Amino acid sequence: MPMTKEPKLMTGNANKPLAEAIARRMSMHRGVSTKLVESRVERFNDGEIFVEVYENVRGEDMFIIQPTSNPANDNLMELLIMSDALRRSSAARTTAVIPYFGYARQDRRTKARTPISAKLVANMIVEAGIERVLTMDLHAAQIQGFFDIPVDNLYASPIFALDILEQFRDRMKDVMIISPDVGGVARARELAKRIDAPLAIVDKRREKPGEIAEMTVIGNVEDKICIIVDDICDTAGTLCKAADLIKSSGAKEVHSYISHGVLSGPAVERITKSAMKSLVITDSIEPTKAVKGAPNIRIVPTAPLFAQAILNIWNGTSVSSLFDTDMLEPIYEGLF
């Protein structure tokens, strides 16, 4: 592989503010100006996507920053076409930086005659010429095995741990971590361990998809500051019901920390009217005006984490070191 002098960043239209923030953080870390590669990603009148790269990328180590969030299909196609453009331009290596991996919830067959769309998307990404994937909080860990290329899956929990320790520094003895369902216990337990807090679970039972028949809190939440932890919040129906249940069970306050704020449909309105005192999300998905304007929604940045991960990949050093809160603390100094 040809030796490269600089990591080169490129972005589509999915989350340009995050891509620009990552470039700025890389410039701060290295003391060398890092800018996004000049390009255009446009649509013809019939919706076809066209990509043109204005700079020479021959032999370069390229990083495409593109979450596959809403509109998922358009953003995914942008990623694939950008990768093809770089491959045909003789880039040495192309890494897809996908802060939010769309289709991750379709990771298995839930009934007969249904697809495993996450595997199909993984195949498409590999065939487009991507040689490595960098993402955050995959909905299911086994998705890493869907790829035949290296996948680095970062975690938001170290960032959340830093934020919780700062926001509740005088009340940590009252903090309790809540998993909103049995499937998310491992994620919640990992964060609870980081901040040395107890754990409780909301058990939910569904009679049919999208409708919750019964919810029960497993654990004593009375007089506790309860923090619900999950990876994705879409319409916020389950999250708000869980918050209301926890509050009615005697909790002092209810907060939520969610890795990916999809927040579609009535989500923002539901959150604003819910028992939650605050909802903290990352900027893995570009927030809408409604999300930015919501009084009880706060956004924590992921640019420092992704910037350092990109530099580690480029330098050939450990990415897993970023799972450690102590390693992230200097990177996030002054941001909380």
Short mmCIF file of all heavy atoms in Angstrom, two decimals, residues 262-328:
data_model
loop_
_atom_site.label_atom_id
_atom_site.label_comp_id
_atom_site.label_asym_id
_atom_site.label_seq_id
_atom_site.Cartn_x
_atom_site.Cartn_y
_atom_site.Cartn_z
N VAL A 262 -33.01 8.85 16.66
CA VAL A 262 -33.74 8.85 15.39
C VAL A 262 -34.88 9.86 15.48
O VAL A 262 -35.08 10.68 14.59
CB VAL A 262 -34.27 7.43 15.07
CG1 VAL A 262 -35.09 7.45 13.78
CG2 VAL A 262 -33.11 6.45 14.96
N LEU A 263 -35.65 9.77 16.55
CA LEU A 263 -36.69 10.75 16.90
C LEU A 263 -37.59 11.10 15.72
O LEU A 263 -37.67 12.27 15.29
CB LEU A 263 -36.05 12.02 17.49
CG LEU A 263 -35.17 11.79 18.74
CD1 LEU A 263 -34.62 13.11 19.24
CD2 LEU A 263 -35.93 11.06 19.82
N SER A 264 -38.27 10.11 15.20
CA SER A 264 -39.16 10.32 14.06
C SER A 264 -40.60 10.52 14.53
O SER A 264 -40.95 10.23 15.68
CB SER A 264 -39.08 9.12 13.11
OG SER A 264 -39.41 7.92 13.79
N GLY A 265 -41.44 11.01 13.62
CA GLY A 265 -42.87 11.17 13.91
C GLY A 265 -43.13 12.05 15.12
O GLY A 265 -42.60 13.16 15.24
N PRO A 266 -43.93 11.55 16.08
CA PRO A 266 -44.33 12.35 17.24
C PRO A 266 -43.31 12.32 18.38
O PRO A 266 -43.64 12.72 19.51
CB PRO A 266 -45.63 11.68 17.67
CG PRO A 266 -45.43 10.23 17.34
CD PRO A 266 -44.59 10.22 16.08
N ALA A 267 -42.09 11.86 18.14
CA ALA A 267 -41.13 11.63 19.21
C ALA A 267 -40.85 12.87 20.04
O ALA A 267 -40.90 12.83 21.28
CB ALA A 267 -39.83 11.08 18.62
N VAL A 268 -40.55 13.99 19.40
CA VAL A 268 -40.16 15.20 20.14
C VAL A 268 -41.31 15.68 21.01
O VAL A 268 -41.11 16.05 22.18
CB VAL A 268 -39.71 16.31 19.16
CG1 VAL A 268 -39.44 17.61 19.91
CG2 VAL A 268 -38.45 15.87 18.42
N GLU A 269 -42.53 15.67 20.46
CA GLU A 269 -43.70 16.09 21.24
C GLU A 269 -43.91 15.18 22.45
O GLU A 269 -44.19 15.64 23.56
CB GLU A 269 -44.94 16.08 20.35
CG GLU A 269 -46.20 16.59 21.05
CD GLU A 269 -47.42 16.54 20.15
OE1 GLU A 269 -47.28 16.17 18.96
OE2 GLU A 269 -48.52 16.86 20.64
N ARG A 270 -43.77 13.87 22.24
CA ARG A 270 -43.93 12.92 23.34
C ARG A 270 -42.90 13.16 24.44
O ARG A 270 -43.22 13.16 25.63
CB ARG A 270 -43.78 11.49 22.82
CG ARG A 270 -44.99 10.97 22.06
CD ARG A 270 -44.70 9.61 21.47
NE ARG A 270 -45.89 9.02 20.85
CZ ARG A 270 -45.87 7.93 20.12
NH1 ARG A 270 -44.72 7.29 19.89
NH2 ARG A 270 -46.99 7.45 19.60
N ILE A 271 -41.66 13.38 24.04
CA ILE A 271 -40.59 13.59 25.01
C ILE A 271 -40.81 14.88 25.80
O ILE A 271 -40.60 14.93 27.01
CB ILE A 271 -39.22 13.61 24.29
CG1 ILE A 271 -38.90 12.21 23.75
CG2 ILE A 271 -38.12 14.10 25.21
CD1 ILE A 271 -37.82 12.20 22.70
N THR A 272 -41.24 15.91 25.11
CA THR A 272 -41.50 17.20 25.77
C THR A 272 -42.58 17.08 26.83
O THR A 272 -42.50 17.72 27.88
CB THR A 272 -41.90 18.26 24.72
OG1 THR A 272 -40.87 18.35 23.72
CG2 THR A 272 -42.08 19.62 25.37
N LYS A 273 -43.58 16.25 26.56
CA LYS A 273 -44.71 16.12 27.49
C LYS A 273 -44.53 14.99 28.50
O LYS A 273 -45.39 14.80 29.37
CB LYS A 273 -46.00 15.87 26.69
CG LYS A 273 -46.42 17.03 25.81
CD LYS A 273 -47.67 16.69 25.02
CE LYS A 273 -48.11 17.86 24.13
NZ LYS A 273 -49.31 17.50 23.34
N SER A 274 -43.45 14.25 28.40
CA SER A 274 -43.28 13.05 29.24
C SER A 274 -42.76 13.39 30.63
O SER A 274 -42.46 14.55 30.94
CB SER A 274 -42.31 12.07 28.56
OG SER A 274 -40.98 12.55 28.67
N ALA A 275 -42.60 12.35 31.43
CA ALA A 275 -42.08 12.52 32.80
C ALA A 275 -40.57 12.69 32.81
O ALA A 275 -39.99 12.95 33.87
CB ALA A 275 -42.48 11.30 33.64
N MET A 276 -39.92 12.54 31.67
CA MET A 276 -38.47 12.68 31.62
C MET A 276 -38.04 14.12 31.85
O MET A 276 -38.53 15.04 31.18
CB MET A 276 -37.93 12.24 30.25
CG MET A 276 -37.69 10.76 30.13
SD MET A 276 -36.92 10.37 28.55
CE MET A 276 -38.27 10.70 27.42
N LYS A 277 -37.11 14.31 32.76
CA LYS A 277 -36.58 15.64 33.00
C LYS A 277 -35.61 16.03 31.90
O LYS A 277 -35.50 17.20 31.53
CB LYS A 277 -35.89 15.70 34.36
CG LYS A 277 -35.57 17.10 34.82
CD LYS A 277 -35.16 17.12 36.29
CE LYS A 277 -34.93 18.55 36.75
NZ LYS A 277 -34.53 18.59 38.18
N SER A 278 -34.89 15.04 31.36
CA SER A 278 -33.98 15.32 30.25
C SER A 278 -33.75 14.06 29.42
O SER A 278 -33.82 12.94 29.94
CB SER A 278 -32.63 15.85 30.75
OG SER A 278 -31.89 14.82 31.38
N LEU A 279 -33.50 14.26 28.14
CA LEU A 279 -33.08 13.20 27.22
C LEU A 279 -31.76 13.64 26.62
O LEU A 279 -31.67 14.73 26.03
CB LEU A 279 -34.11 12.97 26.12
CG LEU A 279 -33.65 12.11 24.94
CD1 LEU A 279 -33.36 10.68 25.38
CD2 LEU A 279 -34.68 12.11 23.81
N VAL A 280 -30.74 12.83 26.76
CA VAL A 280 -29.42 13.13 26.21
C VAL A 280 -29.17 12.18 25.04
O VAL A 280 -29.28 10.97 25.19
CB VAL A 280 -28.32 12.98 27.27
CG1 VAL A 280 -26.95 13.26 26.67
CG2 VAL A 280 -28.58 13.92 28.44
N ILE A 281 -28.85 12.74 23.88
CA ILE A 281 -28.54 11.95 22.69
C ILE A 281 -27.19 12.40 22.15
O ILE A 281 -26.67 13.45 22.54
CB ILE A 281 -29.61 12.10 21.59
CG1 ILE A 281 -29.75 13.57 21.17
CG2 ILE A 281 -30.95 11.55 22.06
CD1 ILE A 281 -30.69 13.80 19.99
N THR A 282 -26.61 11.60 21.26
CA THR A 282 -25.39 12.03 20.57
C THR A 282 -25.77 12.66 19.23
O THR A 282 -26.92 12.60 18.80
CB THR A 282 -24.43 10.85 20.32
OG1 THR A 282 -24.95 10.03 19.26
CG2 THR A 282 -24.25 10.01 21.59
N ASP A 283 -24.78 13.21 18.56
CA ASP A 283 -25.01 13.82 17.24
C ASP A 283 -24.66 12.85 16.12
O ASP A 283 -24.30 13.27 15.02
CB ASP A 283 -24.21 15.12 17.11
CG ASP A 283 -22.72 14.92 17.32
OD1 ASP A 283 -22.30 13.78 17.64
OD2 ASP A 283 -21.95 15.90 17.17
N SER A 284 -24.77 11.53 16.38
CA SER A 284 -24.51 10.54 15.33
C SER A 284 -25.49 10.71 14.17
O SER A 284 -25.17 10.41 13.02
CB SER A 284 -24.63 9.12 15.89
OG SER A 284 -25.93 8.87 16.37
N ILE A 285 -26.68 11.20 14.47
CA ILE A 285 -27.69 11.58 13.47
C ILE A 285 -27.87 13.09 13.57
O ILE A 285 -28.02 13.62 14.68
CB ILE A 285 -29.02 10.87 13.73
CG1 ILE A 285 -28.85 9.35 13.61
CG2 ILE A 285 -30.11 11.35 12.78
CD1 ILE A 285 -30.05 8.55 14.04
N GLU A 286 -27.86 13.77 12.45
CA GLU A 286 -27.99 15.23 12.49
C GLU A 286 -29.35 15.60 13.10
O GLU A 286 -30.39 15.21 12.59
CB GLU A 286 -27.86 15.83 11.10
CG GLU A 286 -27.89 17.35 11.12
CD GLU A 286 -27.65 17.98 9.76
OE1 GLU A 286 -27.50 17.23 8.77
OE2 GLU A 286 -27.60 19.22 9.67
N PRO A 287 -29.35 16.37 14.21
CA PRO A 287 -30.61 16.72 14.85
C PRO A 287 -31.42 17.71 14.03
O PRO A 287 -30.87 18.61 13.38
CB PRO A 287 -30.17 17.35 16.18
CG PRO A 287 -28.78 17.83 15.93
CD PRO A 287 -28.17 16.89 14.93
N THR A 288 -32.74 17.55 14.05
CA THR A 288 -33.63 18.47 13.34
C THR A 288 -33.81 19.74 14.17
O THR A 288 -33.39 19.82 15.33
CB THR A 288 -35.00 17.81 13.12
OG1 THR A 288 -35.58 17.51 14.41
CG2 THR A 288 -34.86 16.51 12.32
N LYS A 289 -34.47 20.73 13.58
CA LYS A 289 -34.74 21.97 14.30
C LYS A 289 -35.62 21.71 15.52
O LYS A 289 -35.44 22.32 16.58
CB LYS A 289 -35.43 22.98 13.37
CG LYS A 289 -34.52 23.58 12.32
CD LYS A 289 -35.25 24.62 11.49
CE LYS A 289 -34.33 25.24 10.44
NZ LYS A 289 -35.05 26.25 9.60
N ALA A 290 -36.57 20.77 15.37
CA ALA A 290 -37.46 20.44 16.49
C ALA A 290 -36.68 19.84 17.64
O ALA A 290 -36.92 20.16 18.82
CB ALA A 290 -38.54 19.47 16.02
N VAL A 291 -35.71 18.98 17.33
CA VAL A 291 -34.88 18.37 18.37
C VAL A 291 -34.02 19.42 19.05
O VAL A 291 -33.92 19.46 20.29
CB VAL A 291 -33.98 17.25 17.76
CG1 VAL A 291 -32.97 16.76 18.79
CG2 VAL A 291 -34.85 16.10 17.27
N LYS A 292 -33.41 20.30 18.26
CA LYS A 292 -32.57 21.36 18.83
C LYS A 292 -33.37 22.31 19.71
O LYS A 292 -32.87 22.85 20.69
CB LYS A 292 -31.89 22.15 17.71
CG LYS A 292 -30.84 21.38 16.95
CD LYS A 292 -30.25 22.24 15.83
CE LYS A 292 -29.21 21.50 15.03
NZ LYS A 292 -28.69 22.33 13.90
N GLY A 293 -34.64 22.52 19.35
CA GLY A 293 -35.48 23.46 20.09
C GLY A 293 -36.20 22.87 21.28
O GLY A 293 -36.81 23.61 22.06
N ALA A 294 -36.15 21.56 21.45
CA ALA A 294 -36.85 20.91 22.57
C ALA A 294 -36.17 21.28 23.89
O ALA A 294 -34.95 21.17 24.01
CB ALA A 294 -36.87 19.40 22.39
N PRO A 295 -36.94 21.71 24.89
CA PRO A 295 -36.34 22.19 26.14
C PRO A 295 -35.68 21.10 26.97
O PRO A 295 -34.78 21.41 27.77
CB PRO A 295 -37.54 22.80 26.89
CG PRO A 295 -38.74 22.10 26.32
CD PRO A 295 -38.41 21.82 24.89
N ASN A 296 -36.09 19.85 26.81
CA ASN A 296 -35.53 18.79 27.65
C ASN A 296 -34.70 17.78 26.87
O ASN A 296 -34.50 16.65 27.31
CB ASN A 296 -36.63 18.07 28.44
CG ASN A 296 -37.66 17.42 27.54
OD1 ASN A 296 -37.81 17.80 26.38
ND2 ASN A 296 -38.40 16.46 28.09
N ILE A 297 -34.22 18.18 25.67
CA ILE A 297 -33.32 17.32 24.89
C ILE A 297 -31.96 18.01 24.79
O ILE A 297 -31.86 19.17 24.44
CB ILE A 297 -33.87 17.04 23.49
CG1 ILE A 297 -35.20 16.29 23.56
CG2 ILE A 297 -32.86 16.22 22.67
CD1 ILE A 297 -35.83 15.99 22.21
N ARG A 298 -30.91 17.25 25.12
CA ARG A 298 -29.55 17.78 25.07
C ARG A 298 -28.69 16.86 24.20
O ARG A 298 -28.89 15.65 24.19
CB ARG A 298 -28.99 17.87 26.49
CG ARG A 298 -27.65 18.57 26.61
CD ARG A 298 -27.39 19.01 28.07
NE ARG A 298 -27.54 17.90 28.99
CZ ARG A 298 -26.55 17.05 29.30
NH1 ARG A 298 -25.37 17.19 28.73
NH2 ARG A 298 -26.75 16.08 30.17
N ILE A 299 -27.77 17.45 23.47
CA ILE A 299 -26.94 16.69 22.53
C ILE A 299 -25.48 16.73 22.97
O ILE A 299 -24.94 17.80 23.23
CB ILE A 299 -27.07 17.27 21.11
CG1 ILE A 299 -28.54 17.27 20.66
CG2 ILE A 299 -26.22 16.48 20.11
CD1 ILE A 299 -28.81 18.13 19.45
N VAL A 300 -24.86 15.55 23.08
CA VAL A 300 -23.44 15.49 23.39
C VAL A 300 -22.67 15.16 22.12
O VAL A 300 -23.15 14.40 21.27
CB VAL A 300 -23.13 14.46 24.51
CG1 VAL A 300 -23.77 14.87 25.81
CG2 VAL A 300 -23.58 13.06 24.11
N PRO A 301 -21.48 15.70 21.95
CA PRO A 301 -20.74 15.52 20.69
C PRO A 301 -20.01 14.19 20.61
O PRO A 301 -19.50 13.67 21.62
CB PRO A 301 -19.75 16.68 20.71
CG PRO A 301 -19.50 16.93 22.17
CD PRO A 301 -20.80 16.63 22.87
N THR A 302 -19.94 13.63 19.42
CA THR A 302 -19.14 12.43 19.17
C THR A 302 -17.90 12.73 18.35
O THR A 302 -17.06 11.85 18.15
CB THR A 302 -19.97 11.36 18.44
OG1 THR A 302 -20.47 11.91 17.20
CG2 THR A 302 -21.14 10.89 19.29
N ALA A 303 -17.76 13.96 17.87
CA ALA A 303 -16.62 14.32 17.02
C ALA A 303 -15.27 14.01 17.68
O ALA A 303 -14.38 13.47 17.00
CB ALA A 303 -16.70 15.78 16.60
N PRO A 304 -15.06 14.33 18.96
CA PRO A 304 -13.76 14.00 19.57
C PRO A 304 -13.46 12.51 19.53
O PRO A 304 -12.32 12.10 19.27
CB PRO A 304 -13.91 14.50 21.01
CG PRO A 304 -14.94 15.58 20.94
CD PRO A 304 -15.91 15.11 19.89
N LEU A 305 -14.48 11.68 19.77
CA LEU A 305 -14.31 10.22 19.76
C LEU A 305 -13.97 9.73 18.36
O LEU A 305 -13.00 8.97 18.16
CB LEU A 305 -15.59 9.56 20.27
CG LEU A 305 -15.65 8.03 20.22
CD1 LEU A 305 -14.63 7.42 21.15
CD2 LEU A 305 -17.06 7.54 20.57
N PHE A 306 -14.74 10.16 17.36
CA PHE A 306 -14.50 9.69 15.99
C PHE A 306 -13.19 10.23 15.43
O PHE A 306 -12.49 9.53 14.70
CB PHE A 306 -15.68 10.07 15.08
CG PHE A 306 -16.84 9.13 15.18
CD1 PHE A 306 -18.01 9.50 15.83
CD2 PHE A 306 -16.77 7.85 14.64
CE1 PHE A 306 -19.07 8.63 15.94
CE2 PHE A 306 -17.82 6.97 14.74
CZ PHE A 306 -18.98 7.35 15.39
N ALA A 307 -12.86 11.47 15.76
CA ALA A 307 -11.60 12.04 15.28
C ALA A 307 -10.41 11.24 15.77
O ALA A 307 -9.50 10.91 15.00
CB ALA A 307 -11.48 13.50 15.72
N GLN A 308 -10.43 10.88 17.07
CA GLN A 308 -9.33 10.10 17.62
C GLN A 308 -9.31 8.69 17.04
O GLN A 308 -8.24 8.14 16.75
CB GLN A 308 -9.44 10.03 19.14
CG GLN A 308 -8.21 9.45 19.82
CD GLN A 308 -6.95 10.28 19.56
OE1 GLN A 308 -6.92 11.47 19.82
NE2 GLN A 308 -5.92 9.63 19.03
N ALA A 309 -10.49 8.10 16.83
CA ALA A 309 -10.55 6.75 16.25
C ALA A 309 -10.00 6.75 14.82
O ALA A 309 -9.28 5.82 14.43
CB ALA A 309 -12.00 6.25 16.26
N ILE A 310 -10.34 7.76 14.04
CA ILE A 310 -9.82 7.87 12.67
C ILE A 310 -8.31 7.99 12.69
O ILE A 310 -7.60 7.33 11.92
CB ILE A 310 -10.47 9.06 11.94
CG1 ILE A 310 -11.95 8.76 11.64
CG2 ILE A 310 -9.72 9.38 10.64
CD1 ILE A 310 -12.73 9.96 11.14
N LEU A 311 -7.77 8.81 13.59
CA LEU A 311 -6.32 8.97 13.69
C LEU A 311 -5.66 7.66 14.11
O LEU A 311 -4.58 7.31 13.62
CB LEU A 311 -5.99 10.09 14.67
CG LEU A 311 -6.31 11.51 14.19
CD1 LEU A 311 -6.08 12.52 15.31
CD2 LEU A 311 -5.44 11.87 12.99
N ASN A 312 -6.30 6.93 15.02
CA ASN A 312 -5.74 5.65 15.45
C ASN A 312 -5.71 4.63 14.31
O ASN A 312 -4.75 3.88 14.16
CB ASN A 312 -6.53 5.09 16.63
CG ASN A 312 -6.29 5.86 17.92
OD1 ASN A 312 -5.63 6.90 17.92
ND2 ASN A 312 -6.81 5.37 19.02
N ILE A 313 -6.78 4.61 13.50
CA ILE A 313 -6.81 3.71 12.34
C ILE A 313 -5.74 4.10 11.34
O ILE A 313 -5.00 3.25 10.81
CB ILE A 313 -8.21 3.73 11.69
CG1 ILE A 313 -9.24 3.07 12.61
CG2 ILE A 313 -8.19 3.02 10.33
CD1 ILE A 313 -10.68 3.24 12.14
N TRP A 314 -5.62 5.38 11.08
CA TRP A 314 -4.62 5.88 10.13
C TRP A 314 -3.20 5.58 10.60
O TRP A 314 -2.34 5.17 9.82
CB TRP A 314 -4.82 7.38 9.95
CG TRP A 314 -3.78 8.06 9.11
CD1 TRP A 314 -3.52 7.83 7.79
CD2 TRP A 314 -2.88 9.08 9.53
NE1 TRP A 314 -2.49 8.65 7.36
CE2 TRP A 314 -2.09 9.43 8.41
CE3 TRP A 314 -2.67 9.75 10.74
CZ2 TRP A 314 -1.10 10.40 8.48
CZ3 TRP A 314 -1.68 10.73 10.80
CH2 TRP A 314 -0.91 11.04 9.68
N ASN A 315 -2.98 5.72 11.92
CA ASN A 315 -1.64 5.46 12.48
C ASN A 315 -1.37 3.99 12.72
O ASN A 315 -0.25 3.60 13.03
CB ASN A 315 -1.48 6.20 13.82
CG ASN A 315 -1.34 7.70 13.63
OD1 ASN A 315 -0.68 8.13 12.69
ND2 ASN A 315 -1.94 8.48 14.50
N GLY A 316 -2.44 3.15 12.63
CA GLY A 316 -2.27 1.74 12.92
C GLY A 316 -2.16 1.42 14.39
O GLY A 316 -1.55 0.43 14.78
N THR A 317 -2.76 2.27 15.24
CA THR A 317 -2.74 2.04 16.68
C THR A 317 -4.11 1.57 17.16
O THR A 317 -5.07 1.51 16.40
CB THR A 317 -2.32 3.32 17.44
OG1 THR A 317 -3.18 4.41 17.04
CG2 THR A 317 -0.89 3.70 17.11
N SER A 318 -4.22 1.26 18.45
CA SER A 318 -5.41 0.62 19.00
C SER A 318 -6.64 1.54 18.98
O SER A 318 -6.56 2.69 19.41
CB SER A 318 -5.14 0.17 20.44
OG SER A 318 -6.32 -0.27 21.06
N VAL A 319 -7.75 0.99 18.49
CA VAL A 319 -9.03 1.68 18.58
C VAL A 319 -9.75 1.32 19.87
O VAL A 319 -10.45 2.14 20.46
CB VAL A 319 -9.91 1.36 17.35
CG1 VAL A 319 -11.31 1.95 17.50
CG2 VAL A 319 -9.27 1.88 16.08
N SER A 320 -9.52 0.09 20.34
CA SER A 320 -10.19 -0.37 21.57
C SER A 320 -9.76 0.42 22.80
O SER A 320 -10.45 0.41 23.82
CB SER A 320 -9.93 -1.85 21.80
OG SER A 320 -8.56 -2.12 21.97
N SER A 321 -8.64 1.14 22.71
CA SER A 321 -8.22 1.97 23.84
C SER A 321 -9.25 3.07 24.13
O SER A 321 -9.33 3.57 25.26
CB SER A 321 -6.86 2.62 23.55
OG SER A 321 -6.94 3.49 22.43
N LEU A 322 -10.06 3.40 23.12
CA LEU A 322 -11.07 4.45 23.29
C LEU A 322 -12.30 3.95 24.04
O LEU A 322 -13.23 4.71 24.28
CB LEU A 322 -11.48 5.00 21.92
CG LEU A 322 -10.36 5.66 21.12
CD1 LEU A 322 -10.85 6.07 19.74
CD2 LEU A 322 -9.81 6.88 21.85
N PHE A 323 -12.33 2.65 24.40
CA PHE A 323 -13.43 2.14 25.22
C PHE A 323 -13.25 2.55 26.68
O PHE A 323 -14.17 2.42 27.49
CB PHE A 323 -13.48 0.60 25.16
CG PHE A 323 -13.68 0.04 23.78
CD1 PHE A 323 -13.46 -1.31 23.53
CD2 PHE A 323 -14.07 0.85 22.72
CE1 PHE A 323 -13.64 -1.84 22.25
CE2 PHE A 323 -14.25 0.34 21.45
CZ PHE A 323 -14.03 -1.00 21.22
N ASP A 324 -12.07 3.03 27.03
CA ASP A 324 -11.72 3.36 28.41
C ASP A 324 -12.07 4.82 28.71
O ASP A 324 -11.64 5.72 27.98
CB ASP A 324 -10.22 3.11 28.62
CG ASP A 324 -9.81 3.24 30.08
OD1 ASP A 324 -10.64 3.67 30.89
OD2 ASP A 324 -8.65 2.91 30.39
N THR A 325 -12.82 5.03 29.77
CA THR A 325 -13.21 6.40 30.15
C THR A 325 -11.98 7.26 30.40
O THR A 325 -11.96 8.45 30.04
CB THR A 325 -14.09 6.37 31.41
OG1 THR A 325 -15.22 5.53 31.17
CG2 THR A 325 -14.60 7.77 31.75
N ASP A 326 -10.95 6.70 31.01
CA ASP A 326 -9.74 7.47 31.31
C ASP A 326 -9.06 7.97 30.05
O ASP A 326 -8.44 9.04 30.05
CB ASP A 326 -8.76 6.63 32.13
CG ASP A 326 -9.28 6.33 33.53
OD1 ASP A 326 -10.13 7.11 34.02
OD2 ASP A 326 -8.84 5.33 34.14
N MET A 327 -9.15 7.21 28.96
CA MET A 327 -8.56 7.63 27.69
C MET A 327 -9.36 8.75 27.04
O MET A 327 -8.79 9.62 26.37
CB MET A 327 -8.48 6.44 26.73
CG MET A 327 -7.47 5.38 27.12
SD MET A 327 -5.77 5.96 27.04
CE MET A 327 -5.59 6.20 25.27
N LEU A 328 -10.69 8.73 27.25
CA LEU A 328 -11.54 9.75 26.63
C LEU A 328 -11.56 11.05 27.41
O LEU A 328 -11.83 12.11 26.85
CB LEU A 328 -12.96 9.22 26.49
CG LEU A 328 -13.26 8.29 25.32
CD1 LEU A 328 -14.74 7.98 25.26
CD2 LEU A 328 -12.81 8.88 24.00
#
